Amino acid sequence: MTGELADVLERADAVDEIVFVEDRAEYVEELNDADAGFIFGNARHGDVRQDANLSGADVVVSAAERTDVNRRLLEDAEDALTIVTAPTEAAATRLAEEGADYVVVGRGLVGAELADLLADLDDPDALESRLAALNDRARSGSPRLADEAAGDRGIEDERERDGGETDV
Amino acid sequence: MYEILFALTLIFVLASILLIVAAQKGLPVIPFYLLAGIVAGAVIDETELLDLAQWGIAFLVFLFGVHVDFESVRERGRISVAVGTAQALLVGALTFGVGTLLGLDALNAAYVAIAAALSSSLVATSYLDGIRSARPTYERLAESIHFTEDVIGVLVILGLSAFVYAETPAVEQFGVAAGLLALALLIRYVVFHRLTAKLRGDSEVLMLVGISFVVGFIALAELANLSIIVGAFAAGIAVADDYPHSLELVDTVDDLEDFFTPILFVTVGALLTVPSPESLGYTAVLLAAVLVVNPLFVAAILVRSGFDGRTAILTGLTLDQLSVFSLFVAIEALAAETIARPVFDAIVLAAAATMVVATYTGRHADVIARRLRDRGVVDALGESVDDRAQVADGITDHVIVVDVEHGGWSALEACDALDRPVVVIEDNPATFETIQDECDNYVYGDVADERVWELARLEEAAAVVSLTPERDRAEAILDLETDVPRIVRVEETDAAEEFVERGAAGAIYPDAIAAERVGDDLEALLAGEISREEFAERGRRHLERASE
């Protein structure tokens, strides 16, 4: 999700610089090769948050499942537009109360998608088309890649991450 | 001093070398730690090894205490306390009897019984993912059963200290230990927040606070003639694992785990000796109890308490290793010269063997559970699906939803609006209670069980929607011999590719769906089509949908 939103921000020319924070070794090479800035580490550490200059960020996107990390990001980036993930509805409510602009709870979005899908169950052509789109997205991990077949900037796979933290 | 420093240096050098090999080959690290220990054991003196093992265990118990989730334990407390206590008492009594029959005196038979009865959360939790949002039922059950057994472990150590190692029985030690725990709780709920508020963000000082806690409580325990384990456990309880301390202090002291975990496993390897025939006999008893009796007994109780076979087997499999508390008991007994050497050697050998086996079963628990079902073991444990199912006669063209809690409620609403019947399949008892209240058709059970699908009338269904985040359950649904279209949730793009090739009509990848929906909203915001307030409002609507 973080890579996808970074694309959106870049295309809209909405920010001067994009910085990824990631602590999983398998993404290091890919992120090092990308045009965006990259900090190897975990946002749970104060020095990593400081290096990412959270207090000066315009937008913060976090895919961290740890609610305490997201709470601290919200505190550190008080004025930024914040999009954070939450593992449960209770955590999501907490994050929204603490100032997150947009809290992503996977199951809510899955539910919405399913409701649309089931509405087409009696229409084989519509169902097939919807399933094909669903599968393309799942295979590529990125809706916009599936739609546009774009050869972006080499950080596409980074979108597959879950649990890492990314500041934009 | 030189001896300890030499031992530590050797342990870390050997562990590092073998760890690199393990990492390169993608193999589990525990067998390599044990192997490093076998090499180190040829050089390091046993006295140093025993000291290091005790300190390694004490610090890991401290970290265990830090992470005790009282809320989670309270949620599943009754069943977990009952299962953990019943298993420990029954297996303990059984192996005590076997030990006596093998000619051991009462105390040594008790050491064998303790080793057989208790399982370790410290090893098991390395397989349980603590922060994942969609934690399966078996993980939550296992966590609280392990907590029960760890508390029993602390009580056993306390009891031995008061009645066996003390020159005269010292019942007052229980009072002193209770006082130490009360002090820890007082610090946790009254002093800790005030103390850390003044030190916010200074990780070095916070690390020192954490170490001071554990060293201070251990010193208090020693002063009161209690085992250092009691002090370490109390120190862990004293540290509150909630925000913001979870970030500032707990994560800092967690780094200690990376230091003490290798010490524990390597010292276990180093303490291994070539076993005598007598020792091998005791080891066989311990392995039979820990690897076979404990998992099956726990699984049987859980099945008869209403859990499905898969949850029961997976929970039981987390109990297939010797507890570090048992290891600590054996080391203390060796120091007190109250344990027979063959019994000590057997406990160390069984600890090492079960650590290796647990590494395997932890990785392949789902495969083991399916094989046990195929071979009729789950049925033999007493699983019954029919009495927890309600499906309307003659239901057709329905949608079968598996694991409704992961986004399925919206699907149910959509089906309701479309007048399409739904059958829900569930294996989480807590969710199942809600399902019984909210849904007309449901089956409680394991998706690997053919009877579950018969009851759900799979062949008459229009579609199956599986929202389970557990890969083995999604695979079981894909393996069904049916033409009914199946839409399954996946957790990664590779799985999506594979599942579609294996016959899934659709692959739901929550991350991609989230990226698209949030990306659309962000694009609209950046294009000026919506305000920041409307952007936040859209986020709230998704949240409300998730909460429904």
Side-chain angles (χ1 to χ4, degrees):
Chain A
M1 184 184 80
T2 50
E4 166 69 18
L5 298 188
D7 281 349
V8 171
L9 288 165
E10 193 170 58
R11 268 202 302 271
D13 206 14
V15 290
D16 298 331
E17 193 186 357
I18 293 173
V19 177
F20 287 93
V21 176
E22 176 60 67
D23 67 348
R24 286 188 282 176
E26 60 263 37
Y27 294 104
V28 169
E29 201 175 328
E30 193 177 1
L31 288 169
N32 268 332
D33 291 344
D35 292 336
F38 167 50
I39 297 169
F40 181 71
N42 192 306
R44 71 183 166 95
H45 294 299
D47 49 353
V48 171
R49 295 195 300 274
Q50 203 170 353
D51 288 349
N53 188 23
L54 273 166
S55 57
D58 292 328
V59 183
V60 175
V61 179
S62 169
E65 282 208 346
R66 276 185 59 165
T67 305
D68 56 357
V69 172
N70 284 331
R71 286 176 73 181
R72 179 45 57 85
L73 293 178
L74 293 175
E75 277 180 26
D76 288 354
E78 215 171 338
D79 300 324
L81 177 78
T82 47
I83 302 169
V84 296
T85 52
T88 63
E89 287 76 39
T93 305
R94 184 72 189 252
L95 290 167
E97 283 169 0
E98 296 198 4
D101 288 290
Y102 200 114
V103 186
V104 183
V105 186
R107 71 180 81 176
L109 298 167
V110 166
E113 182 77 19
L114 271 178
D116 293 345
L117 188 74
L118 292 172
D120 288 334
L121 212 52
D122 286 330
D123 181 347
D125 291 339
L127 181 66
E128 194 177 330
S129 159
R130 199 175 274 281
L131 283 172
L134 189 73
N135 292 343
D136 281 347
R137 267 183 293 166
R139 284 198 200 99
S140 70
S142 162
R144 282 166 178 77
L145 267 188
D147 292 346
E148 300 165 12
D152 288 10
R153 296 159 299 124
I155 57 170
E156 293 84 0
D157 289 342
E158 198 267 337
R159 293 165 186 154
E160 294 173 19
R161 300 172 313 154
D162 56 356
E165 292 86 40
T166 301
D167 310 321
V168 179
Chain B
M1 188 66 179
Y2 165 78
E3 286 79 10
I4 285 285
L5 289 175
F6 172 74
L8 280 174
T9 307
L10 191 65
I11 283 171
F12 282 108
V13 167
L14 286 170
S16 304
I17 293 168
L18 290 171
L19 212 56
I20 291 169
V21 177
Q24 281 177 344
K25 305 275 183 197
L27 297 169
V29 297
I30 291 174
F32 284 88
Y33 280 146
L34 294 170
L35 190 61
I38 292 169
V39 178
V43 183
I44 305 172
D45 182 67
E46 187 179 79
T47 313
E48 267 79 52
L49 285 173
L50 294 172
D51 283 347
L52 282 173
Q54 278 187 308
W55 282 101
I57 292 169
F59 269 86
L60 290 175
V61 167
F62 162 65
L63 294 173
F64 158 72
V66 170
H67 291 297
V68 168
D69 181 349
F70 288 112
E71 282 304 311
S72 169
V73 169
R74 204 175 298 150
E75 265 178 35
R76 296 185 183 274
R78 201 182 301 162
I79 181 78
S80 306
V81 169
V83 172
T85 309
Q87 176 259 317
L89 287 177
L90 183 114
V91 175
L94 201 68
T95 43
F96 181 84
V98 173
T100 309
L101 286 176
L102 290 173
L104 289 172
D105 60 47
L107 187 56
N108 276 286
Y111 289 134
V112 172
I114 291 164
L118 300 180
S119 292
S120 175
S121 64
L122 300 173
V123 180
T125 45
S126 62
Y127 310 116
L128 309 179
D129 185 347
I131 61 163
R132 198 149 41 93
S133 56
R135 293 184 73 207
T137 308
Y138 86 89
E139 281 195 6
R140 288 178 283 200
L141 263 176
E143 188 176 75
S144 41
I145 292 174
H146 284 296
F147 173 73
T148 303
E149 298 206 356
D150 287 346
V151 170
I152 295 173
V154 172
L155 290 173
V156 164
I157 288 170
L158 202 54
L160 287 168
S161 166
F163 298 113
V164 178
Y165 306 139
E167 284 176 15
T168 54
V171 185
E172 67 276 8
Q173 284 201 7
F174 281 93
V176 176
L180 207 60
L181 288 173
L183 175 65
L185 288 170
L186 183 75
I187 291 174
R188 182 187 182 99
Y189 292 113
V190 181
V191 180
F192 192 79
H193 290 252
R194 291 176 191 170
L195 176 69
T196 52
K198 293 182 179 168
L199 305 170
R200 183 177 166 169
D202 192 330
S203 58
E204 285 173 16
V205 179
L206 285 166
M207 167 74 103
L208 287 176
V209 168
I211 292 176
S212 304
F213 265 60
V214 66
V215 173
F217 269 95
I218 285 176
L220 278 175
E222 291 250 288
L223 194 68
N225 280 328
L226 296 172
S227 166
I228 60 170
I229 285 290
V230 179
F233 185 66
I237 299 279
V239 176
D241 184 14
D242 54 9
Y243 185 80
H245 319 299
S246 54
L247 276 180
E248 292 165 350
L249 194 148
V250 177
D251 277 351
T252 312
V253 295
D254 265 354
D255 293 340
L256 292 171
E257 191 172 1
D258 298 335
F259 180 76
F260 285 104
T261 302
I263 291 180
L264 171 67
F265 289 115
V266 173
T267 47
V268 168
L271 288 168
L272 286 170
T273 53
V274 179
S276 63
E278 185 185 356
S279 184
L280 276 177
Y282 303 139
T283 307
V285 172
L286 287 173
L287 292 181
V290 176
L291 298 179
V292 182
V293 180
N294 284 348
L296 284 179
F297 182 72
V298 166
I301 299 180
L302 290 175
V303 163
R304 286 168 190 278
S305 306
F307 290 89
D308 67 286
R310 175 180 175 276
T311 298
I313 295 281
L314 293 184
T315 307
L317 284 173
T318 67
L319 294 163
D320 66 349
Q321 75 269 274
L322 222 90
S323 170
V324 289
F325 288 94
S326 306
L327 203 57
F328 190 88
V329 165
I331 292 170
E332 273 199 331
L334 191 71
E337 298 178 349
T338 56
I339 191 170
R341 188 74 206 198
V343 173
F344 176 81
D345 290 343
I347 290 173
V348 173
L349 181 56
T354 56
M355 282 170 180
V356 174
V357 173
T359 307
Y360 174 83
T361 54
R363 287 187 167 202
H364 304 286
D366 48 351
V367 177
I368 296 168
R370 279 180 86 167
R371 283 193 184 150
L372 289 177
R373 176 174 293 286
D374 293 345
R375 290 176 187 176
V377 174
V378 177
D379 287 338
L381 292 175
E383 186 186 46
S384 170
V385 178
D386 294 50
D387 52 1
R388 301 187 80 183
Q390 175 182 296
V391 179
D393 289 338
I395 192 170
T396 56
D397 269 343
H398 54 293
V399 173
I400 300 174
V401 178
V402 179
D403 269 16
V404 73
E405 65 176 317
H406 299 298
W409 292 112
S410 297
L412 262 57
E413 273 181 22
C415 288
D416 192 39
L418 297 163
D419 276 338
R420 185 176 290 281
V422 178
V423 175
V424 175
I425 296 178
E426 185 57 62
D427 74 346
N428 180 344
T431 311
F432 188 63
E433 284 177 18
T434 313
I435 289 167
Q436 284 176 302
D437 292 339
E438 302 282 332
C439 302
D440 295 329
N441 304 293
Y442 49 80
V443 182
Y444 181 88
D446 176 6
V447 292
D449 185 353
E450 285 175 14
R451 180 66 186 149
V452 165
W453 294 101
E454 277 174 36
L455 289 167
R457 294 175 61 91
L458 171 66
E459 286 311 318
E460 280 73 39
V464 176
V465 176
S466 163
L467 297 171
T468 176
E470 293 164 89
R471 188 184 166 106
D472 66 302
R473 297 181 71 214
E475 285 181 321
I477 292 165
L478 284 180
D479 290 345
L480 291 169
E481 288 180 11
T482 181
D483 294 327
V484 176
R486 283 148 291 164
I487 300 158
V488 294
R489 170 180 169 151
V490 295
E491 296 297 298
E492 51 192 20
T493 51
D494 289 347
E497 185 78 50
E498 185 192 330
F499 283 9
V500 171
E501 276 177 20
R502 283 173 64 174
I508 302 166
Y509 183 27
D511 276 11
I513 293 170
E516 181 179 65
R517 302 243 171 182
V518 184
D520 287 348
D521 292 343
L522 184 60
E523 258 180 354
L525 172 70
L526 297 175
E529 293 165 13
I530 58 170
S531 64
R532 187 162 169 176
E533 288 71 30
E534 170 60 15
F535 178 72
E537 181 53 37
R538 289 189 182 188
R540 267 194 294 278
R541 281 205 291 272
H542 290 311
L543 184 55
E544 281 162 13
R545 199 152 200 173
S547 307
E548 284 167 359

